[in-house]
Amino acid sequence: MTTVGYWFVFLALAYTALLISIGRIARRKAAGGSGYFVGGRNFSTLFVTVCITGLFSGSSFISIIELSYLKGVSAVWYGVAETLQVLLIATLLIAPFRKKLVITVSGLIGDHFGRKARALGGAITAFAFPMWSVATALAFASALHVFTGISLLGSVALTAVLLFAYLQFGGMWAIGYTQLLNTIVFYIMLAVGFLAVFIYPGIDGLKEFAAAKPQMYSLSGAGVQTIVAWFGTFIVNVVLAQAAFQMALSCRTPEEGKRGLLWAAILGIPLIIGAVVFGLAAASAVPEETRGLIAIPQYLMQTLPAPLVALFFLGFWACALSWGAPCQFSGATSLGKDVGEAVNPGQSEQTYIRYTKWSLALLTVLMVVFASLRAEQSAWWNILAWVTRNSATFAPVLAALFWPLATRRAVFAAMAIGSFTGLFWYHLSDWKINDFFLNTHPVWPGMIANILTLVAVTLVENAGRIAWNPDAGRATLGQSCLAIGVVAAALTALNFSWLYEKGLLGLGLFIVCISAFFALMTFTASRNQKEAYNIPEKKTASAR
């Protein structure tokens, strides 16, 4: 083990002990069900801010620093896309979701569409979250391996056990306190990183690097299709960001939750900029490495003294934990609470807390198993998670929010067929990272099948009971959605070959599909359920 390794192990053990102690202290506040799952709905703006900063900025920092090393400044668009997602959640969803007292997306689906939908949605969501957790843990482990010699699998196992240890005790309160510490460590890491850049290569060195490799300073260096895919993925995920919802909706009031998200977006900006600069500095100093997360520690070890390098990578450790903890806890909530309520309804909150703790243990084991199955490609687990979860729950969540006509059978069928379609498409892609069947990311066929199945089954089951929605405002919205769909269809048809070549055909077809879906939801209502839209019945001439 290197000198940096010894310093890092010392700092990591001390920090880990602190986190576990905080988890035990948080146990007193998590005595009740709402205290365990959503912090008793008593989070302040500060707690929401650090929770969301830890979740999104922690994961994006690791992604952006590697992307910047490989692709240059265009990696900034990843952070911009994720920041846009946070702003959209704050603007559109926090207030209505807080009023509904939403805990999980799978719970929202179950509340509207029954026990079977709750069970299937909860199970799919639960088993997707360890995939996201292990992806970030593997990225961190790549750097850790350089100066400690700890294997990738060993690092993931250590991360998983730590998450299990402090989440068992304090639930959402444990996440709140630890995310506060993680955010502080982020900014210490940021200060150390900028110190390294000023030492070497310095501002002049970065200018020389720009002259030698101008492509690294191109805003489109990552590829237009990749950048568009980032924005598409994060925008679509606005209604499915369960871990973010569970933390943000622990707020005392919708206003505090919204402010916390907005502050988190602001706090994330320095981390985005820092990740881009650090990646460029490493590319300048260690130009021959193919993996950014290996090059970063090599660059820092030749620039800074061992204690400061270890302190920087304590921030990496915090990034892995700040993403993994909410993911593991939210997944366990879906499995323990939502699936538990579906299978064994009417039990006490303490029973569902116990189920959730058992689920945490199961997801901890799964996280390690996933790492052992495919440890060399962390991005692969992200793709599999997106495909599995989004292909199942996207349309049902929209239906729960906007379409009272949707039926239970339609939602259950949409989850099953959507998820199967996405995974089967990935199977046809031979489970590769960036070479997909028909040059189309499997999440788009999965979500299209999800939407079409829900619409088809709903229309069949409601035949004869569908009425035209006469509300003028909604009609205007519907016309706008329909116009967007028509324009998108025309552009997709006219640019079919170019979109196919760039890997954007699936996204184009999805935009057509989602636009038509929103138009349909706007134009239709049930003859017996117009009150669900808050539309008063128009008086007939005889009634007048």
Side-chain angles (χ1 to χ4, degrees):
M1 186 183 296
T2 64
T3 303
V4 174
Y6 286 112
W7 272 102
F8 176 79
V9 168
F10 169 73
L11 292 174
L13 288 176
Y15 189 63
T16 299
L18 179 60
L19 293 181
I20 294 175
S21 299
I22 287 175
R24 295 184 67 89
I25 293 171
R27 186 176 190 174
R28 293 195 296 270
K29 289 194 173 186
S34 64
Y36 187 79
F37 293 118
V38 286
R41 306 281 185 189
N42 203 32
F43 272 19
S44 64
T45 297
L46 172 64
F47 265 60
V48 175
T49 299
V50 296
C51 280
I52 300 300
T53 300
L55 176 70
F56 288 125
S57 295
S59 63
S60 65
F61 182 86
I62 292 178
S63 298
I64 293 170
I65 200 170
E66 179 162 41
L67 285 166
S68 177
Y69 176 84
L70 298 172
K71 302 296 182 179
V73 298
S74 60
V76 74
W77 293 118
Y78 186 96
V80 173
E82 195 157 47
T83 302
L84 177 61
Q85 180 189 35
V86 174
L87 294 175
L88 288 174
I89 292 172
T91 305
L92 301 177
L93 295 179
I94 284 299
F97 275 23
R98 180 63 177 79
K99 290 176 182 177
K100 291 176 180 288
L101 299 180
V102 171
I103 295 179
T104 61
V105 166
S106 50
L108 175 67
I109 293 171
D111 289 342
H112 284 78
F113 302 113
R115 288 170 56 187
K116 289 183 179 179
R118 183 189 298 272
L120 182 58
I124 290 173
T125 301
F127 292 119
F129 271 114
M131 299 177 192
W132 279 304
S133 300
V134 77
T136 304
L138 283 169
F140 160 75
S142 298
L144 182 65
H145 176 72
V146 173
F147 49 79
T148 65
I150 297 176
S151 68
L152 295 178
L153 184 60
S155 177
V156 172
L158 183 62
T159 305
V161 170
L162 171 60
L163 296 176
F164 176 75
Y166 70 76
L167 289 175
Q168 275 286 315
F169 296 114
M172 184 54 69
W173 278 109
I175 289 177
Y177 284 118
T178 54
Q179 292 291 65
L180 176 59
L181 285 179
N182 286 334
T183 301
I184 293 171
V185 173
F186 288 173
Y187 277 85
I188 294 173
M189 171 185 66
L190 202 62
V192 173
F194 276 115
L195 175 62
V197 172
F198 284 122
I199 292 174
Y200 181 78
I203 302 299
D204 291 337
L206 290 176
K207 289 180 179 179
E208 292 174 4
F209 184 60
K213 290 191 174 181
Q215 69 273 18
M216 293 292 285
Y217 287 78
S218 168
L219 286 174
S220 59
V224 173
Q225 66 272 33
T226 300
I227 295 169
V228 171
W230 290 340
F231 278 92
T233 299
F234 283 120
I235 291 172
V236 164
N237 202 50
V238 165
V239 295
L240 299 176
Q242 176 171 300
F245 292 149
Q246 194 169 354
M247 292 187 295
L249 296 174
S250 298
C251 56
R252 288 184 295 223
T253 64
E255 291 72 24
E256 286 185 288
K258 182 177 180 178
R259 284 198 301 270
L261 282 158
L262 294 176
W263 275 110
I266 293 171
L267 287 180
I269 293 173
L271 290 161
I272 293 170
I273 296 171
V276 172
V277 173
F278 304 158
L280 287 171
S284 171
V286 187
E288 303 302 325
E289 181 58 59
T290 58
R291 292 173 294 172
L293 292 174
I294 297 296
I296 298 296
Q298 292 176 351
Y299 156 63
L300 289 172
M301 284 191 293
Q302 69 185 36
T303 307
L304 294 174
L308 289 181
V309 178
L311 194 58
F312 182 92
F313 280 97
L314 183 66
F316 255 53
W317 177 243
C319 287
L321 297 178
S322 65
W323 172 259
C327 286
Q328 290 293 91
F329 182 67
S330 197
T333 302
S334 281
L335 187 59
K337 189 176 190 302
D338 295 334
V339 177
E341 284 184 1
V343 174
N344 191 17
Q347 302 301 308
S348 67
E349 282 296 306
Q350 289 302 318
T351 298
Y352 298 129
I353 290 175
R354 186 169 66 252
Y355 291 169
T356 300
K357 291 182 176 181
W358 293 347
S359 299
L360 270 172
L362 175 60
L363 298 188
T364 298
V365 174
L366 271 180
M367 187 174 167
V368 179
V369 170
F370 289 161
S372 68
L373 291 176
R374 197 152 181 164
E376 75 282 2
Q377 294 175 325
S378 61
W380 185 86
W381 288 108
N382 275 328
I383 296 172
L384 187 62
W386 289 118
V387 172
T388 303
R389 197 275 306 273
N390 287 28
S391 298
T393 58
F394 179 71
V397 169
L398 293 180
L401 294 172
F402 305 118
W403 206 29
L405 276 172
T407 65
R408 296 186 176 191
R409 286 192 187 93
V411 166
F412 190 85
M415 286 195 289
I417 293 176
S419 191
F420 172 80
T421 301
L423 292 174
F424 184 67
W425 196 277
Y426 205 8
H427 168 71
L428 294 176
S429 306
D430 200 24
W431 307 102
K432 295 178 181 177
I433 289 182
N434 52 14
D435 185 14
F436 303 120
F437 180 63
L438 296 182
N439 206 24
T440 299
H441 194 295
V443 77
W444 304 125
M447 288 197 293
I448 290 172
N450 187 233
I451 293 170
L452 294 180
T453 302
L454 188 145
V455 168
V457 177
T458 294
L459 293 180
V460 169
E461 290 200 311
N462 283 292
R465 294 191 290 120
I466 299 176
W468 178 263
N469 183 351
D471 182 74
R474 290 182 178 274
T476 301
L477 175 62
Q479 291 166 5
S480 300
C481 292
L482 193 58
I484 292 172
V486 171
V487 171
L491 292 174
T492 300
L494 292 173
N495 298 279
F496 185 92
S497 298
W498 183 85
L499 290 171
Y500 179 84
E501 180 185 346
K502 298 296 184 181
L504 297 175
L505 181 60
L507 176 59
L509 294 174
F510 174 75
I511 292 173
V512 174
C513 187
I514 191 63
S515 300
F517 184 36
F518 269 103
L520 179 67
M521 290 191 292
T522 303
F523 286 136
T524 57
S526 170
R527 296 183 189 278
N528 301 321
Q529 294 178 336
K530 286 187 178 180
E531 64 275 11
Y533 286 92
N534 296 316
I535 302 171
E537 290 284 344
K538 289 189 173 181
K539 294 183 178 180
T540 63
S542 59
R544 296 192 190 98

